Amino acid sequence: MRFLSLVFLCCCTLRGAQEFHVSPGGSDQGNGTAKAPFATIERARDAVREWKRASGGKLKAPVTVWLHSGVFRLTRTLEFTPEDSGTEACPVTYRAASGEKPVISGGREVSGWKEVTVADKRLWAAEIADVREGKWYFRQLWSGDQRRTLARNPNQGFFRISAVPDMDPKASYQTAQKRFQFAPGEIARWENLDDVEVVLATFWVSVRRHIASVDTDARMVTLEYPNTHRLTDGFGNPPELARYYAENAFELLDSPGEFYLNRKTGVLYYMPMPGEKVGATRMVAPVLEQLVNVEGDPRTGAFVEYVHFRGLTFAHAEWWMPRNDPSGFYQRQGSAPVPGAIRFYGARHCAFEACTVAHVSQHAIHFSRGCERNRVVGCEIYDTGTGGIRVGEADRNGRIAPDAKGVVHDQPVEETHHMEITDNHIYSGGRLFHGSHGIWIGPSYGNIVAHNHVHDYYYSGISVGWTWGTGKSVARDNIIEYNHVHDIGQGWLNDMGAIYTLGSQPGTVIRYNVLHDVRHSAYIGRGVYFDEGSSNMLVEKNLIYNTSTAGFGQSHGKGNVIRNNIFAYGRDAQLEPNGGNTAKRPVENNFTFERNIVYFEKDRPILRMRWNDTDVTLRNNLYWQEGGGEIRFAKEAWDEWRARGMDAGSLVADPMFVDPAKRNFRLKPGSPANKVGFEPFDLSTVGPRAAVLREFGR
């Protein structure tokens, strides 16, 4: 009681907000004032709990925990439970003190570096006893704020698999193989072969597999478990063989910025970058698998509510998939099952505002089951091994997974919905699990994803839905608007989109987005990609350009409307209706395509993939090929196309963009786009809004 009285006198008043202070230079024996701050966030959290209990179990004023500059090195995951909840009138906020930069780290500085020469390599070396004793192991290392590279071959890019002796080219793409042949010098019987992984870029997934054995005479590698997909880039026959690289062998340590950790000896080797000096460069390795866990129990109604985080930096964590995972569960499409460094379960009305999450192997933030009306606003998320923000779970019903008998229990309380993800900068992701998204939303509804800047990913930018087929889905009423998404795919994987959807999503709207520079490896790199059963959605007033295939494309689906968009500079096509009315996939109407401007380079096709068996409506569109000349729809000339009832009210005319070569797609006065009913739209507020960032001091 003496401690609580002291906190009462020093940190708050009955009528005012309560405050606690935390500093890495403080002491948990202090009283939490600015002059005697706590040393750990856990102690401050416990002080909030004590205050709450002393107040009869309910906060009577808002509580702020001020974090001061420095690095808070966590020794275990920071846990929050329903006991830590605030209320709408009295939230609990953990935030950076004014002008200060606290960092919450799950990492540990590596010290004791020495300059050594091993196998004619000039390196740094540090002995780590915990690694040698089997207490610690890691696959990430940072020099200051820069991710360093686990020793690999080749140092950049990929090798191409030479041959796959066990592959039947006619078999399903899901028929996996366990062996492949490599070219001379690519793989050898390295000393630590048991730790070496092969990273395979195939179809739309990137899969990691340990090497079981190597036959150097036959140049054949055998994997510990089969790959999850056929070892090709796509569906071609004969197939183009997949790409790969190998990593985590001392023998591959041959380029500045690479490192290698010997699990048996505990020695960490690093080849320094120019300008780095031993003893003067701060090197950090991850210790914790998870930084923050906010966990309620939605099944009993015990939620974590009104806990806010503002202006904090979270860094250095490493989760790794179980080695005994032959199914490749964690390496499925979108790397969706990979967990988050920061996890919410059964959380409502919580917020991440103006925070930074970086230098982690997994998703940055994951809102798991039973989460609703939470916010991620004005944050910076970068250098993630997987994706940025993950909403919901990867199971297709959006609720709990089937039990041991395969029965899915109806638990709507565990649905995740009405999340707000706005004004964030999300970039440089998928560094370890390459098939990842900047923002991933599973079977979930009522979410708004707006004013985000998403770029530098190797798969898709924003993904919504995750229910295959046109049947009933939890996903609906999601708004994706005013986002800037670019530099997606970058030639690594396939079957991707800047915005990618799955399943029926009535009420979902994709509007006012700028999407550009999407590039696949072998097939499909679209601006907006409606895949497997995407239905009942609206795409309008988006600017989409520089895509390796079409600005818009769809697999089977129905009831979609694509109107009043600008599609420009599709490389292989401008529009890809793929699927359509078949015996296996009967649909009423795939989509309506109207009042759009389609602008493309000379001799680039407008249409690609199956078209004649697709039930679509095209009308009132404006088409133009740079330089003029005849345009063709598949094999049909414009007059032939129109003669069979396609594109009623559409025109072939120059839309009169201000400067398309410089990607200025504003219309000049007198544009013929007016004649087809096209309405110009304002994209000046796309991306994070300056006013929102100023509110948070960004």
Side-chain angles (χ1 to χ4, degrees):
M1 289 302 295
R2 183 176 182 276
F3 171 77
L4 287 176
S5 298
L6 186 60
V7 172
F8 174 81
L9 290 171
C10 297
C11 297
C12 57
T13 67
L14 277 174
R15 296 180 179 178
Q18 293 119 40
E19 297 183 348
F20 299 95
H21 291 260
V22 193
S23 170
S27 169
D28 282 352
Q29 305 307 311
N31 57 22
T33 63
K35 293 183 178 180
F38 298 130
T40 66
I41 304 168
E42 291 92 338
R43 182 66 193 92
R45 176 203 61 198
D46 292 346
V48 175
R49 290 176 176 177
E50 292 161 359
W51 177 261
K52 189 175 179 180
R53 286 195 293 267
S55 302
K58 186 176 182 179
L59 294 176
K60 295 181 172 60
V63 176
T64 301
V65 176
W66 297 98
L67 276 67
H68 294 271
S69 288
V71 179
F72 294 87
R73 295 212 178 276
L74 301 178
T75 58
R76 58 183 177 271
T77 300
L78 187 58
E79 301 277 356
F80 294 91
T81 69
E83 186 179 9
D84 302 303
S85 294
T87 65
E88 183 175 9
C90 302
V92 178
T93 303
Y94 294 77
R95 64 179 300 178
S98 179
E100 302 198 41
K101 297 181 178 181
V103 177
I104 300 168
S105 172
R108 168 174 151 188
E109 286 197 32
V110 179
S111 58
W113 292 99
K114 297 179 181 179
E115 293 179 310
V116 299
T117 300
V118 182
D120 296 325
K121 302 176 183 181
R122 299 185 66 180
L123 308 169
W124 296 357
E127 295 185 13
I128 306 175
D130 284 351
V131 173
R132 185 178 61 250
E133 296 167 7
K135 300 176 182 177
W136 187 26
Y137 187 68
F138 53 87
R139 300 166 183 82
Q140 299 176 103
L141 184 70
W142 294 276
S143 174
D145 197 44
Q146 300 297 313
R147 176 182 291 273
R148 294 306 183 224
T149 302
L150 187 58
R152 55 168 283 178
N153 193 29
N155 290 328
Q156 300 290 333
F158 299 87
F159 291 128
R160 181 73 69 176
I161 289 174
S162 298
V164 184
D166 307 315
M167 184 173 65
D168 176 1
K170 297 181 180 179
S172 165
Y173 71 86
Q174 294 177 318
T175 302
Q177 298 83 33
K178 198 173 181 179
R179 299 189 303 159
F180 67 84
Q181 189 176 56
F182 54 89
E186 293 179 355
I187 295 178
R189 287 198 194 97
W190 296 308
E191 182 179 354
N192 72 324
L193 197 62
D194 188 56
D195 277 339
V196 176
E197 285 188 328
V198 172
V199 182
L200 298 145
T202 169
F203 289 84
W204 49 83
V205 294
S206 174
V207 176
R208 292 177 169 271
R209 285 288 184 250
H210 282 88
I211 292 177
S213 64
V214 175
D215 183 337
T216 54
D217 294 331
R219 292 184 287 108
M220 192 71 65
V221 61
T222 300
L223 306 175
E224 190 173 47
Y225 296 113
N227 186 43
T228 58
H229 290 69
R230 198 168 68 199
L231 289 173
T232 73
D233 257 357
F235 295 98
N237 188 13
E240 186 175 9
L241 296 177
R243 298 167 304 151
Y244 80 96
Y245 64 88
E247 69 177 12
N248 201 22
F250 177 81
E251 293 86 343
L252 305 181
L253 183 54
D254 59 3
S255 180
E258 288 188 337
F259 70 95
Y260 167 71
L261 177 60
N262 190 311
R263 186 191 297 268
K264 296 177 182 177
T265 66
V267 178
L268 173 62
Y269 296 98
Y270 175 64
M271 185 173 287
M273 297 286 287
E276 291 181 325
K277 296 182 179 180
V278 67
T281 302
R282 184 175 64 91
M283 309 293 289
V284 178
V287 177
L288 294 185
E289 283 195 357
Q290 190 177 61
L291 299 174
V292 178
N293 186 40
V294 180
E295 183 153 359
D297 186 353
R299 291 165 294 183
T300 62
F303 291 91
V304 181
E305 298 181 299
Y306 297 102
V307 176
H308 300 166
F309 303 88
R310 178 181 284 198
L312 308 176
T313 294
F314 300 84
H316 310 128
E318 180 172 286
W319 171 92
W320 209 255
M321 59 193 178
R323 184 156 181 171
N324 59 345
D325 178 34
S327 69
F329 174 76
Y330 293 100
Q331 303 179 77
R332 293 180 181 175
Q333 183 176 356
S335 303
V338 175
I342 297 166
R343 173 181 177 265
F344 291 80
Y345 173 78
R348 302 192 301 198
H349 307 290
C350 293
F352 250 70
E353 300 168 331
C355 289
T356 297
V357 185
H359 315 320
V360 299
S361 72
Q362 58 275 72
H363 288 92
I365 304 173
H366 177 204
F367 292 95
S368 183
R369 304 185 194 282
C371 291
E372 60 177 283
R373 304 184 192 282
N374 301 296
R375 306 168 66 233
V376 181
V377 181
C379 292
E380 183 177 19
I381 296 173
Y382 68 98
D383 187 32
T384 59
T386 315
I389 300 172
R390 174 183 164 195
V391 176
E393 293 293 348
D395 56 273
R396 298 181 183 181
N397 53 46
R399 299 174 182 176
I400 64 172
D403 63 18
K405 296 182 179 180
V407 177
V408 176
H409 300 277
D410 190 15
Q411 292 282 350
V413 72
E414 291 205 328
E415 294 174 355
T416 290
H417 56 92
H418 287 93
M419 311 297 292
E420 179 183 338
I421 302 170
T422 68
D423 301 281
N424 303 291
H425 189 190
I426 304 171
Y427 61 101
S428 298
R431 270 32 195 174
L432 300 174
F433 302 101
H434 305 309
S436 306
H437 307 81
I439 300 171
W440 181 93
I441 298 177
S444 180
Y445 56 90
N447 304 291
I448 181 166
V449 178
H451 294 283
N452 300 288
H453 185 190
V454 178
H455 60 104
D456 191 9
Y457 274 81
Y458 303 132
Y459 183 47
S460 293
I462 298 172
S463 181
V464 188
W466 228 247
T467 301
W468 280 249
T470 58
K472 185 179 179 180
S473 169
V474 175
R476 67 177 188 276
D477 299 317
N478 294 304
I479 306 299
I480 316 298
E481 64 182 9
Y482 294 102
N483 300 287
H484 185 194
V485 185
H486 62 96
D487 289 290
I488 298 302
Q490 304 182 67
W492 282 52
L493 296 172
N494 304 289
D495 214 31
M496 66 186 63
I499 296 178
Y500 174 92
T501 70
L502 284 165
S504 180
Q505 299 184 51
T508 290
V509 178
I510 299 171
R511 64 191 177 198
Y512 297 107
N513 300 285
V514 177
L515 315 173
H516 62 95
D517 291 283
V518 181
R519 183 165 58 91
H520 67 257
S521 169
Y523 70 98
I524 301 185
R526 297 169 176 163
V528 173
Y529 184 179
F530 281 0
D531 202 2
E532 293 295 331
S534 295
S535 300
N536 305 310
M537 289 183 282
L538 171 63
V539 178
E540 67 174 351
K541 298 182 178 178
N542 301 280
L543 169 60
I544 303 171
Y545 62 93
N546 290 10
T547 55
S548 55
T549 57
F552 170 77
Q554 176 175 299
S555 185
H556 73 292
K558 61 182 180 181
N560 296 310
V561 176
I562 299 89
R563 72 184 179 206
N564 215 99
N565 304 278
I566 297 173
F567 298 100
Y569 296 116
R571 188 190 69 190
D572 297 339
Q574 317 312 312
L575 179 61
E576 292 177 313
N578 179 23
N581 296 339
T582 67
K584 293 182 179 179
R585 297 173 173 176
V587 295
E588 299 168 2
N589 181 276
N590 268 355
F591 57 84
T592 297
F593 190 83
E594 61 184 1
R595 303 204 313 270
N596 300 288
I597 299 176
V598 181
Y599 187 96
F600 50 100
E601 294 177 320
K602 192 171 183 63
D603 298 326
R604 297 289 183 182
I606 297 177
L607 302 178
R608 195 173 76 105
M609 299 188 170
R610 287 182 291 181
W611 176 260
N612 292 330
D613 64 346
T614 303
D615 181 16
V616 301
T617 298
L618 294 94
R619 61 192 176 206
N620 299 97
N621 299 297
L622 180 64
Y623 300 95
W624 185 246
Q625 173 181 255
E626 283 187 329
E630 182 186 33
I631 66 171
R632 301 189 69 85
F633 291 78
K635 298 180 180 180
E636 299 180 16
W638 174 247
D639 291 341
E640 295 173 312
W641 179 254
R642 293 287 300 277
R644 65 184 186 91
M646 307 301 290
D647 263 309
S650 296
L651 297 175
V652 176
D654 187 345
M656 300 171 56
F657 291 132
V658 171
D659 194 344
K662 294 183 178 179
R663 303 317 188 239
N664 185 337
F665 296 102
R666 289 183 296 114
L667 297 173
K668 295 177 182 178
S671 168
N674 300 326
K675 297 179 180 179
V676 297
F678 180 87
E679 299 175 1
F681 45 91
D682 182 10
L683 297 175
S684 61
T685 62
V686 164
R689 291 164 289 188
V692 173
L693 299 184
R694 282 196 301 270
E695 177 187 350
F696 297 122
R698 282 287 197 181

